[in-house]
Amino acid sequence: MKAYSQDLRDRVIAMHKQGYTAIKISKDFLIGYETSKSWIRLYKNTGDYSSRQHLNTGVKRKFTDKEA
């Protein structure tokens, strides 16, 4: 599933800071209510609401000792 853009997330949080509810935000931006609610919850709990998609992905190195 493709992640929403950081710009959209920024606009959702900006509207939340202005006092809009998650229901109103989700209707205005045509995103799911649970999505907007989870971004707001993340922002309240951690202060960060950015996408976690593609973090810590890829091949893990088995050999990390560069001098050996």
Side-chain angles (χ1 to χ4, degrees):
M1 182 171 163
K2 193 171 184 179
Y4 288 102
S5 70
Q6 187 62 40
D7 179 57
L8 177 61
R9 292 166 187 260
D10 293 340
R11 289 186 286 159
V12 166
I13 296 302
M15 282 189 72
H16 168 69
K17 288 180 182 178
Q18 293 175 4
Y20 290 96
T21 63
I23 294 172
K24 171 75 170 140
I25 293 169
S26 63
K27 287 180 182 179
D28 287 352
F29 290 112
L30 301 175
I31 59 174
Y33 167 69
E34 290 296 326
T35 301
S36 62
K37 194 169 80 170
S38 70
W39 292 346
I40 291 167
R41 187 181 323 112
L42 267 173
Y43 175 71
K44 286 181 178 179
N45 292 340
T46 66
D48 183 30
Y49 50 90
S50 59
S51 175
R52 301 281 186 254
Q53 192 171 11
H54 300 296
L55 292 179
N56 297 324
T57 59
V59 177
K60 303 291 183 209
R61 296 180 187 202
K62 294 180 182 177
F63 184 75
T64 57
D65 187 9
K66 293 179 182 179
E67 293 185 20

